[in-house]
Amino acid sequence: MENFNIDNLVRENIKKLKPYSSARSEFSGNASVFLDANENPFDTGFNRYPDPLQRKLKEKLSFIKGVASENIFLGNGSDEAIDLVYRVFCNPGKDNVIAPDPTYGMYEVCAEINDIEYRKVNLDADFDIDVDSILAKTDENTKVIFICSPNNPTGNLMTRSKVIRILDNFKGIVVVDEAYIDFASEKSLSSLLTQYPNLIIFQTFSKAWGLASIRLGIAFASSQIISYYNKVKYPYNVNILTQSHALEILDNEEKVKEDVDYILKEREEMINSLKDLSYVIKVYPTDSNFILVKVKDANFAYDKLMEKGVVVRNRNKITLCSGCLRITVGTENENNNVIDVLSSL
């Protein structure tokens, strides 16, 4: 993208901000005596502050993902990366963002928290983005367009050419949330980062990597955007327990691939089983680790599942998802529990 300057999108107060300088961020090299951060000197295993920039973790993740370390931000879950989009680029009470509807609810929650207008554009009949309607909704105060792909709760990938068309025609920030990309039939859009300096891609350790409880989210973007993220984030936003456990799991990539293959196999079997049920009206195509299912009575089915101790997500009141349940693909036994309940209705 020619003549693009990310500074033109950044809030003036953020450009002028002098970030907090933590003790560890000011030091690089080897040392044996640390008397700079007012830490307890007795080794408990956790008495020292963690690396504020998670250098070892980014280096290993860079090798696996094929994205340079300087283009990686790590946060306290993807929610931190979402919130920082607003805090870096959006002026409260003035700017707006656009997102398809339905999609992941935290985009709207963060907009409300940051006093940013949140504009919705319905997905089309195939749950794909309507590019013309999205672009028509923009104005001079539109700073960000969010695109979740594969989308939550619909499960489908957004058409790659349509996402690129938005990138080609919108001069603000385009966020593509790829939380479920490891279960998808297409590759990440991370290869487009060098071509589009306004592109931010979210990924996560919570899904395919099986680390939801350690709260570790990923953002890939230009080094300029990453520098602003690091400027605004809290100094030690990713604790040492999270960093250490993530490093361990990154050493076991083959096990993660095996788990993904298992989930994909179970997903296919579950889709076939659901399609055979008389209570099921439609099973929507999915590129994620969950399935959106339209049933005869979503509220009744949800209650019956709950009675049997099976928790799914009732999406009946969500735009375009009337009558739908969102069902995560679990183990074979867990999936069979769902099928057993629905087959009895």
Side-chain angles (χ1 to χ4, degrees):
M1 185 180 292
E2 295 182 3
N3 302 319
F4 181 83
N5 186 351
I6 196 70
D7 290 335
N8 293 333
L9 296 174
V10 177
R11 287 165 50 176
E12 285 300 319
N13 67 304
I14 299 301
K15 284 191 280 189
K16 296 175 182 177
L17 174 69
K18 183 178 181 180
Y20 176 81
S21 181
S22 64
R24 292 298 178 265
S25 64
E26 294 174 354
F27 170 80
S28 62
N30 298 315
S32 57
V33 179
F34 292 96
L35 302 176
D36 57 332
N38 304 331
E39 299 156 321
N40 186 315
F42 302 108
D43 186 7
T44 64
F46 307 104
N47 59 310
R48 300 297 182 186
Y49 286 108
D51 176 5
L53 294 176
Q54 312 94 30
R55 294 173 181 87
K56 290 183 180 179
L57 183 51
K58 286 178 181 176
E59 182 179 349
K60 188 168 289 188
L61 189 63
S62 171
F63 178 78
I64 292 173
K65 294 292 186 176
V67 177
S69 295
E70 60 265 28
N71 299 121
I72 300 175
F73 169 83
L74 297 175
N76 186 353
S78 295
D79 293 341
E80 181 180 7
I82 294 169
D83 186 56
L84 285 176
V85 170
Y86 290 99
R87 290 163 60 192
V88 171
F89 297 107
C90 299
N91 291 285
K94 175 185 176 183
D95 292 330
N96 66 77
V97 303
I98 296 173
D101 192 32
T103 194
Y104 180 45
M106 277 305 296
Y107 310 144
E108 184 173 9
V109 171
C110 280
E112 293 176 353
I113 290 171
N114 287 280
D115 192 22
I116 305 299
E117 181 187 355
Y118 185 83
R119 299 180 176 181
K120 301 179 182 181
V121 177
N122 281 3
L123 296 171
D124 65 19
D126 297 318
F127 290 151
D128 207 348
I129 51 174
D130 183 341
V131 176
D132 290 334
S133 295
I134 288 175
L135 293 176
K137 201 86 169 178
T138 63
D139 60 26
E140 66 275 10
N141 292 322
T142 304
K143 287 294 190 70
V144 184
I145 294 175
F146 286 97
I147 302 170
C148 189
S149 181
N151 188 42
N152 178 8
T154 59
N156 59 296
L157 279 163
M158 301 304 173
T159 301
R160 189 183 185 96
S161 60
K162 292 185 177 182
V163 177
I164 291 174
R165 188 177 158 212
I166 288 178
L167 285 164
D168 284 333
N169 290 278
F170 178 62
K171 304 308 179 184
I173 299 297
V174 178
V175 174
V176 180
D177 190 341
E178 296 183 338
Y180 303 95
I181 195 64
D182 296 288
F183 306 101
S185 56
E186 296 182 9
K187 294 183 178 180
S188 168
L189 292 175
S190 58
S191 61
L192 299 178
L193 287 169
T194 55
Q195 186 177 349
Y196 296 100
N198 61 329
L199 173 62
I200 301 176
I201 293 175
F202 294 157
Q203 292 189 11
T204 182
F205 280 83
S206 295
K207 311 304 178 184
W209 293 88
L211 298 178
S213 67
I214 74 169
R215 308 308 302 130
L216 186 58
I218 308 165
F220 300 132
S222 70
S223 57
Q224 245 188 319
I225 290 177
I226 297 300
S227 69
Y228 277 115
Y229 261 51
N230 290 332
K231 186 178 185 180
V232 175
K233 78 175 184 70
Y234 292 115
Y236 303 107
N237 62 323
V238 180
N239 69 68
I240 191 62
L241 295 172
T242 292
Q243 292 188 43
S244 299
H245 201 71
L247 283 166
E248 290 178 14
I249 203 71
L250 287 175
D251 280 332
N252 203 4
E253 190 180 2
E254 286 305 313
K255 174 62 167 58
V256 174
K257 290 180 178 178
E258 290 175 7
D259 290 347
V260 170
D261 287 342
Y262 176 92
I263 291 170
L264 292 178
K265 177 176 176 293
E266 281 298 314
R267 185 180 75 184
E268 188 63 26
E269 292 184 3
M270 195 174 187
I271 287 172
N272 291 333
S273 296
L274 287 166
K275 287 181 176 179
D276 288 338
L277 300 180
S278 60
Y279 203 76
V280 171
I281 297 172
K282 184 173 183 177
V283 180
Y284 291 93
T286 182
D287 273 287
S288 59
N289 68 332
F290 60 85
I291 305 166
L292 189 69
V293 185
K294 189 178 184 67
V295 296
K296 291 181 179 179
D297 187 332
N299 293 335
F300 180 77
Y302 177 81
D303 290 341
K304 288 299 180 182
L305 285 163
M306 287 286 287
E307 287 176 8
K308 298 295 184 180
V310 179
V311 183
V312 298
R313 200 74 190 272
N314 188 351
R315 302 284 78 187
N316 183 48
K317 295 183 179 180
I318 301 298
T319 304
L320 305 180
C321 295
S322 176
C324 289
L325 302 175
R326 193 194 70 190
I327 305 171
T328 305
V329 179
T331 64
E332 180 181 7
N333 183 60
E334 290 171 332
N335 300 334
N336 287 339
N337 285 337
V338 174
I339 300 300
D340 289 344
V341 174
L342 293 181
S343 64
S344 68
L345 301 181

